[in-house]
Amino acid sequence: MKEPNLLIVEDEKAILHMLMTILTRENFRSIDTAGSAEEALVLCKEKSYDLVLLDITLPGRSGLEICPLIREISDASIFFLTARSTDLDKLSGFAVGADDYITKPFNPLEVAARIKAHLRRRLGIAPRIAANLFEYGPLTVNTSAGEVKLQDKPVELPAQVYQLLLFFCRHPNQLFSKSQLYEKVWNEEFLGEDNTVMVHIRKLREKIEINPSSPKFIVTVRGLGYKFIPEGGNHEST
């Protein structure tokens, strides 16, 4: 999954620091902050965000006022963070375009969990939702059952091709040369002229790619090796 871009719009420094600490700890790397409505609007015009955490009570215009304005210039999801907790307040928040409404005081770990769950749905994938289950768009790999499905249809894989797929699932977005793949998946020294990896890559593509001649999951990085792209469908091979 691509690195999501987050924007936190919050003028209370203690709350902002707490959110930044938790979200960074939860492996969110691209986070911008704004302390006012006007600053938030400027940032939304300059950059594409996946999700905006928006306080309602801000200097100048309120979050309720700028939520529709953000909607006009951005397709980001919007979560309200606010001390206003009545049913009417919540209805007002959803009425102006909020995707979620979180009341203060809140558990920052819960906020992080709700963001992750929402982004998984928004981006259409769940890279790894359990120790034994990988879900990448149309591709599902259940290691407990030894099952692979593409678009909910069972896929039969030879044993070594299955092991190659598992290795890729466990190392998404990482580039591996032919020699590295051979040594890590086959547990043998690569001799240089062996085409085993290329043959198995081709077999795997034939099984899990919707269009094997234009692979989206397993892409070739010319001259360097292969990379497994979990988003399968959002990237072109090179």
Side-chain angles (χ1 to χ4, degrees), residues 15-75:
I15 293 177
L16 179 60
H17 176 73
M18 176 177 61
L19 288 169
M20 287 291 294
T21 300
I22 292 298
L23 291 174
T24 301
R25 191 180 300 165
E26 291 297 310
N27 296 317
F28 288 98
R29 296 289 178 253
S30 179
I31 308 174
D32 293 332
T33 64
S36 69
E38 297 304 325
E39 187 180 357
L41 290 173
V42 170
L43 287 172
C44 286
K45 290 177 182 177
E46 295 177 345
K47 185 173 179 179
S48 176
Y49 291 102
D50 295 293
L51 190 141
V52 177
L53 286 173
L54 180 60
D55 188 15
I56 286 183
T57 305
L58 293 167
R61 286 189 281 186
S62 73
L64 290 173
E65 289 180 83
I66 69 165
C67 181
L69 300 178
I70 292 176
R71 281 273 177 254
E72 292 178 3
I73 58 177
S74 171
D75 65 351

Side-chain angles (χ1 to χ4, degrees), residues 99-133:
D99 294 283
D100 203 348
Y101 194 101
I102 302 170
T103 56
K104 300 175 183 178
F106 51 77
N107 182 333
L109 290 174
E110 180 185 348
V111 174
R114 287 164 78 164
I115 290 173
K116 285 183 176 181
H118 183 84
L119 289 176
R120 283 198 296 265
R121 293 191 297 271
R122 171 186 168 88
L123 300 177
I125 64 170
R128 188 172 184 178
I129 60 174
N132 64 342
L133 181 65

